[in-house]
């Protein structure tokens, strides 16, 4: 079975090709046969396509004026040149797409029919940066491989059953009726890493109270009980919740009114301020990247120190706020760029929960610890670092639709 995964972002396109045999052990992620990514932000004229397959790397400049052809040029590298792994694209059995927003109606993955494509189109106002790119991918594939099924895997789906008290905002109820509610994001990652943590610990998911911390450039935390999301920190949009690389996370909404009244900010300026100029970058004035912030701290930069302190404080606050709804905590999961790679952040976050007898093995935390439990044996809470593998998770969710 050959599964192509497309993961389109606002300024990038990632793709992987997996080959799954009937006897393949699906509990451990497979290496893709072929993988590629397009970054459209390299410069004003070109995007950069990077391909990796057969132990070979290829880099191709893609003129921005032909952005629409990017996916097709990317797919061509599957069947041509030294990254060739298939004779024909027709050998692909099915395609899985990461779709950022499923709205209220899509609580699980499904085959992309004209109706589903229309729903993705209708949800553009809720995901204006992503859904046009998703549609571009779906349509490019439909033109190239009209008979190959395509599956939508929604990033909101995992959160679709969070209870009303966590989902409904305390604003007039008519706005909930019009669709303003907490949707939550990073669902593919949270679901995958929680399942993987259960496997790593050898414990059934049904028995576990898990808090999953997806800490990357975008960050969110989810509370998972019996394998289901019961609360999550991102909300109506991915702006709510934690402090992020350049996003502010939750702030007093009256700050926006103040900026409009007193400083004449308009919608575009606010959007830019909250999404691009805030977070770790905004406070530190150094970088959105934790690595640069840690280097700046070592050089005595106080704003960098403050940025990291706020980040950790907010992660601890959100974790703490979810424990009562879970009724306890069995497993804390760290994943994504910061969660997987920053022992310092993990140590500082975990230190806040020593009152629960969460005991981190500090030595293990500083070693290579991907897909391992880094809590001490006497800890009441397990702490698992899991490599998030969204593309593999999408392939797994696509697999049941293969006929
Ligand atoms: P996204 O997918 O949301 O763009 P990632 O999950 O790839 O983000 O995370 C990227 C972030 O991870 C970087 O901006 C950086 O802050 C952090 N990161 C990556 N490597 C390290 C590291 N070795 N130490 C600390 N932080 C790291």
């Amino acid at each position: 079975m050959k599964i192509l995964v497309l993961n389109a972002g606002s300024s990038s396109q990632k793709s992987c090709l997996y080959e799954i045999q009937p006897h393949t052990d699906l509990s451990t992620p497979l290496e893709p046969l072929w993988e590629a990514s397009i970054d459209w932000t390299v410069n004003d004229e070109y995007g950069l396509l990077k391909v990796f397959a057969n132990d070979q790397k290829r880099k191709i400049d893609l003129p921005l004026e032909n952005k629409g052809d990017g996916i097709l040029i990317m797919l061509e590298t599957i069947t041509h040149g030294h990254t060739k792994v298939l004779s024909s694209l027709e050998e692909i059995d099915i395609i899985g797409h990461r779709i950022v927003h499923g709205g209220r109606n899509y609580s699980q993955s499904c085959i992309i029919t004209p109706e589903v494509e229309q729903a993705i189109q209708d949800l553009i106002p809720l995901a204006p940066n992503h859904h046009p790119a998703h549609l571009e991918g779906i349509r490019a594939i439909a033109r190239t491989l009209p008979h190959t099924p395509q599956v939508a895997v929604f990033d909101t789906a995992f959160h679709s059953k969070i209870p009303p008290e966590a989902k409904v905002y305390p604003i007039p109820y008519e706005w909930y009726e019009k669709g303003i509610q907490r949707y939550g994001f990073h669902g593919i990652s949270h679901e995958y890493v929680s399942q993987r943590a259960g496997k790593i610990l050898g414990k059934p998911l049904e028995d576990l109270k898990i808090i999953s911390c997806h800490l990357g450039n975008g960050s969110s935390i989810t509370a998972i009980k019996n394998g289901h999301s019961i609360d999550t920190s991102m909300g109506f949009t991915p702006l709510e919740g934690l402090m992020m690389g350049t996003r502010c996370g939750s702030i007093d909404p009256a700050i926006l009114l103040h900026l409009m009244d007193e400083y004449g900010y308009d919608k575009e300026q606010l959007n830019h301020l909250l999404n691009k100029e805030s977070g770790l970058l905004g406070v530190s004035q150094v970088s959105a990247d934790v690595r640069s912030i840690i280097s700046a701290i070592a050089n005595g930069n106080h704003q960098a120190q403050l940025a990291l302190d706020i980040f950790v404080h907010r992660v601890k606050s959100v974790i703490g706020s979810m424990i009562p709804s879970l009724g306890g905590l069995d497993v804390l999961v760290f994943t994504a760029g910061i969660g997987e790679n920053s022992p310092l952040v993990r140590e500082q976050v975990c230190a806040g929960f020593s009152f629960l007898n969460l005991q981190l093995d500090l030595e293990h935390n500083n070693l290579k610890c991907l897909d391992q439990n880094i809590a001490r044996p006497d800890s009441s809470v397990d702490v698992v670092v899991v490599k998030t593998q969204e593309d593999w998770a999408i392939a797994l969710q696509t697999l049941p639709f293969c006929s």
Side-chain angles (χ1 to χ4, degrees):
M1 194 64 64
K2 295 188 180 65
I3 302 179
L4 180 74
V5 172
L6 281 187
N7 186 340
S10 48
S11 57
S12 67
Q13 174 72 255
K14 291 187 208 152
S15 187
C16 288
L17 179 69
Y18 293 99
E19 179 161 29
I20 297 179
Q21 308 287 358
H23 57 268
T24 302
D25 170 15
L26 299 177
S27 64
T28 314
L30 288 186
E31 285 300 320
L33 271 187
W34 165 99
E35 57 190 308
S37 64
I38 304 175
D39 180 350
W40 290 113
T41 61
V42 179
N43 65 38
D44 292 342
E45 287 174 36
Y46 289 96
L48 180 63
L49 166 62
K50 289 187 194 166
V51 188
F52 184 71
N54 302 324
D55 285 329
Q56 304 279 329
K57 282 185 185 153
R58 241 175 117 175
K59 285 186 180 177
I60 302 171
D61 285 336
L62 300 176
L64 283 185
E65 71 242 26
N66 296 337
K67 210 172 164 189
D69 295 338
I71 293 173
L72 298 180
I73 296 170
M74 181 172 81
L75 294 182
E76 221 177 74
T77 67
I78 296 180
T79 51
H80 291 84
H82 48 271
T83 53
K84 173 178 172 176
V85 289
L86 301 180
S87 309
S88 155
L89 291 178
E90 303 284 338
E91 290 174 49
I92 296 170
D93 295 285
I94 196 159
I95 294 109
H97 294 264
R98 168 178 171 252
I99 305 294
V100 161
H101 216 306
R104 281 186 174 164
N105 294 333
Y106 292 91
S107 56
Q108 49 196 351
S109 305
C110 62
I111 290 281
I112 301 177
T113 58
E115 187 194 7
V116 172
E117 189 178 324
Q118 184 61 46
I120 296 169
Q121 171 92 39
D122 294 343
L123 284 163
I124 286 178
L126 295 188
N129 297 327
H130 288 87
H131 276 212
H134 297 332
L135 288 167
E136 216 172 82
I138 291 166
R139 289 167 185 161
I141 297 280
R143 283 193 300 274
T144 316
L145 295 170
H147 305 298
T148 310
Q150 304 194 59
V151 174
V153 180
F154 298 99
D155 220 10
T156 47
F158 185 52
H159 305 299
S160 61
K161 295 190 180 60
I162 60 176
E165 64 272 21
K167 182 166 66 178
V168 181
Y169 286 107
I171 54 177
Y173 192 75
E174 68 207 62
W175 292 107
Y176 172 65
E177 292 173 319
K178 288 184 178 136
I180 295 191
Q181 60 165 75
R182 179 182 307 284
Y183 288 103
F185 299 88
H186 289 148
I188 298 167
S189 173
H190 287 298
E191 183 173 20
Y192 171 77
V193 299
S194 58
Q195 290 173 350
R196 187 99 180 101
K199 285 192 187 114
I200 290 163
L201 295 168
K203 294 181 180 169
L205 217 49
E206 299 70 45
D207 297 343
L208 295 177
K209 296 164 187 140
I210 301 176
I211 290 185
S212 155
C213 305
H214 178 113
L215 308 178
N217 215 359
S219 295
S220 69
I221 294 184
T222 293
I224 300 154
K225 196 173 189 176
N226 304 324
H228 300 288
S229 165
I230 61 158
D231 200 359
T232 193
S233 62
M234 282 180 170
F236 179 62
T237 74
L239 186 56
E240 194 182 350
L242 299 173
M243 178 190 202
M244 307 182 212
T246 60
R247 285 176 243 166
C248 58
S250 296
I251 58 168
D252 181 346
I255 293 171
L256 310 192
L257 306 180
H258 182 78
L259 292 176
M260 290 160 77
D261 283 350
E262 298 296 323
Y263 297 90
Y265 269 63
D266 63 19
K267 183 187 146 215
E268 287 309 315
Q269 289 169 312
L270 284 176
N271 191 25
H272 203 260
L273 176 85
L274 304 176
N275 280 295
K276 303 279 186 218
E277 298 172 26
S278 297
L280 291 165
L281 173 68
V283 176
S284 70
Q285 302 283 306
V286 169
S287 170
D289 191 313
V290 166
R291 287 166 290 195
S292 311
I293 288 184
I294 291 173
S295 305
I297 293 171
N299 292 327
N301 185 317
H302 296 292
Q303 267 174 249
Q305 181 69 63
L306 177 63
L308 189 69
D309 290 346
I310 300 172
F311 183 83
V312 169
H313 168 75
R314 290 193 159 218
V315 172
K316 287 191 294 189
S317 301
V318 171
I319 293 171
S321 72
M322 289 180 176
I323 294 174
S325 308
L326 278 175
L329 178 62
D330 299 315
V331 188
L332 189 60
V333 179
F334 287 100
T335 192
I338 303 168
E340 292 166 25
N341 297 301
S342 178
L344 179 72
V345 169
R346 290 195 299 260
E347 182 180 335
Q348 293 191 359
V349 169
C350 288
F353 297 94
S354 55
F355 72 94
L356 291 177
N357 191 36
L358 186 160
Q359 304 290 345
L360 193 64
D361 179 335
L362 294 177
E363 210 174 304
H364 197 171
N365 180 45
N366 280 302
L367 299 172
K368 269 194 150 196
C369 55
L370 274 188
D371 292 348
Q372 292 175 33
N373 181 8
I374 56 169
R376 284 195 343 218
D378 58 338
S379 175
S380 302
V381 179
D382 289 318
V383 181
V384 187
V385 182
V386 181
K387 183 171 165 48
T388 192
Q389 308 245 27
E390 276 184 328
D391 294 332
W392 172 242
I394 294 165
L396 287 181
Q397 293 212 29
T398 302
L399 192 59
F401 295 93
C402 289
S403 47

